[in-house]
Amino acid sequence: VRVEGSGDDDDAGGTVSYSWLQNDEEVEMTISLSKKAAGTGKRANKNMVKVVFQSQKIAVRYDSEVILEMKLYSKLDVDGCTWTLDGDDLVVTCEKASEGEIWPRLEL
């Protein structure tokens, strides 16, 4: 089963675009950093990215600025969460705490 969605988070002081998909075991978010990186005239820099995983919350900072902070629909296995940078896209992959659970939405 693959469920996809997209959205914007303006609670963090600006709009950041993201998309997400899931399967039985994990949730993957792709967050565009192109607007943040454009201010520097360069591509997104992995050294400026900080992602904090909590059991039911994720927070993303770029250049010390919170760009996404979200309470999630269900719990994560924080030890199974990671992120990578693909060009100007931040790809966040998180293992679900309850394998087999399909989330109807990303946010609580």
Side-chain angles (χ1 to χ4, degrees), residues 7-18 66-70 107:
D8 295 311
D9 182 26
D10 12 64
D11 295 337
T15 302
V16 65
S17 297
Y18 66 88
V66 175
I67 61 167
L68 182 99
E69 194 165 29
M70 181 183 300
E107 293 185 77

Side-chain angles (χ1 to χ4, degrees), residues 50-63:
K50 180 171 174 68
V51 182
V52 177
F53 301 104
Q54 295 178 354
S55 67
Q56 203 167 345
K57 185 178 178 181
I58 185 171
V60 178
R61 293 178 176 267
Y62 187 78
D63 195 17

Side-chain angles (χ1 to χ4, degrees), residues 9 11-12 27 29 31 50-61 66-79 81-82 92-97 103 106-108:
D9 182 26
D11 295 337
V27 172
M29 292 177 63
I31 303 160
K50 180 171 174 68
V51 182
V52 177
F53 301 104
Q54 295 178 354
S55 67
Q56 203 167 345
K57 185 178 178 181
I58 185 171
V60 178
R61 293 178 176 267
V66 175
I67 61 167
L68 182 99
E69 194 165 29
M70 181 183 300
K71 253 191 141 162
L72 301 172
Y73 175 80
S74 193
K75 294 186 178 184
L76 304 173
D77 175 358
V78 293
D79 292 331
C81 296
T82 187
V92 178
T93 307
C94 299
E95 281 187 31
K96 295 177 178 178
W103 299 4
L106 185 61
E107 293 185 77
L108 183 59

Side-chain angles (χ1 to χ4, degrees), residues 4-57:
E4 297 183 48
S6 63
D8 295 311
D9 182 26
D10 12 64
D11 295 337
T15 302
V16 65
S17 297
Y18 66 88
S19 60
W20 71 285
L21 54 92
Q22 68 176 314
N23 59 33
D24 287 344
E25 300 168 0
E26 57 188 30
V27 172
E28 180 181 284
M29 292 177 63
T30 302
I31 303 160
S32 175
L33 298 178
S34 57
K35 289 181 184 176
K36 298 299 175 187
T40 66
K42 300 177 183 172
R43 295 189 66 76
N45 181 338
K46 69 178 181 179
N47 296 324
M48 299 176 100
V49 176
K50 180 171 174 68
V51 182
V52 177
F53 301 104
Q54 295 178 354
S55 67
Q56 203 167 345
K57 185 178 178 181

